[in-house]
Amino acid sequence: DRKDNVVTLLDRFHFHWQRTTRGASCERIEVLLTIPFSSKRKRMSVVVRDPATQTISLLCKGADTVMLPRLKGGQDALLRDTLRQVEDFAVEGLRCLFIAAATLREKDFARWKEEYDRVSTDLRELEKKHKGDAKNKIEELEDVLEQSLFLLGATAIEDKLQAGVPDCIAQLVQAGTVVWVLTGDKE
């Protein structure tokens, strides 16, 4: 559930294994910031605070090509295993995303957020971002935050075509048209 900037999560795993002794476990997380996905960024991030511990975390998901350079060093074994699994999933035609996280210090995030709020409301910077200017301060600050991440793993989901598209492709093939589908992920 989500109300304002608080997300309530039901821990179904905990519930499944503990339902005979206790009820479902709910956890509330405060959402401090969402940096949306864009085809240029190829990633999305959310900054959250755990009310119980006051820990601030950045959670980021995105294409391997943009996530790999953002990972903190020293994760070679996990990275190797994850890359192998992602390659296996991609061969099956699944859309894969890397998931990574970082713990942020309160004062560092507060300082970063103050600057981000300032540039995010600057009409010149908004115009630069809208035009796709590589030198806009909004995206530069997003890049600064999304660094030194710890790899959590990867997701792999079936990326279904919109309704009617499979039939349309079948008809094109029947008519002798060669069809290629490019997803932007893996070959």
Side-chain angles (χ1 to χ4, degrees):
D1 187 26
R2 181 164 183 167
K3 185 175 182 182
D4 299 324
N5 65 335
V6 177
V7 175
T8 303
L9 304 170
L10 173 65
D11 185 343
R12 291 184 187 276
F13 182 77
H14 178 262
F15 178 70
H16 174 74
W17 292 104
Q18 301 294 330
R19 71 176 140 198
T20 56
T21 58
R22 299 193 321 220
S25 172
C26 285
E27 185 175 353
R28 287 179 174 71
I29 303 292
E30 180 184 3
V31 178
L32 302 176
L33 174 73
T34 300
I35 303 174
F37 174 87
S38 74
S39 56
K40 180 181 178 186
R41 287 174 35 81
K42 297 182 183 174
R43 66 188 181 280
M44 175 188 175
S45 291
V46 63
V47 178
V48 297
R49 180 193 318 269
D50 180 343
T53 63
Q54 294 301 304
T55 303
I56 297 175
S57 299
L58 168 76
L59 302 169
C60 187
K61 67 176 182 175
D64 57 350
T65 56
V66 296
M67 295 296 286
L68 290 173
R70 297 172 189 294
L71 298 178
K72 190 175 186 93
Q75 306 178 72
D76 298 338
L78 175 61
L79 182 56
R80 191 173 35 256
D81 290 346
T82 304
L83 285 169
R84 188 184 80 259
Q85 292 168 354
V86 164
E87 188 62 35
D88 291 344
F89 293 143
V91 167
E92 292 180 36
L94 301 176
R95 179 174 293 274
C96 300
L97 295 174
F98 273 52
I99 310 291
T103 301
L104 305 176
R105 292 181 6 186
E106 176 85 37
K107 67 179 184 177
D108 293 338
F109 177 68
R111 191 176 315 120
W112 178 92
K113 178 85 165 61
E114 184 178 323
E115 178 68 7
Y116 186 72
D117 288 345
R118 187 184 66 73
V119 299
S120 294
T121 56
D122 183 320
L123 294 178
R124 290 179 302 258
E125 294 302 323
L126 286 166
E127 183 65 24
K128 287 181 192 177
K129 182 178 178 180
H130 180 71
K131 288 182 177 179
D133 187 338
K135 295 290 182 187
N136 74 77
K137 291 181 182 174
I138 298 169
E139 290 175 351
E140 286 177 10
L141 279 171
E142 292 167 350
D143 282 341
V144 166
L145 189 67
E146 299 166 323
Q147 296 295 328
S148 298
L149 303 174
F150 288 97
L151 180 62
L152 300 176
T155 62
I157 61 167
E158 183 178 3
D159 193 10
K160 292 190 176 199
L161 297 171
Q162 293 174 342
V165 173
D167 293 334
C168 178
I169 292 172
Q171 290 172 3
L172 289 169
V173 170
Q174 241 178 1
T177 305
V178 176
V179 177
W180 286 67
V181 178
L182 303 175
T183 67
D185 278 17
K186 297 275 184 208
E187 202 173 297

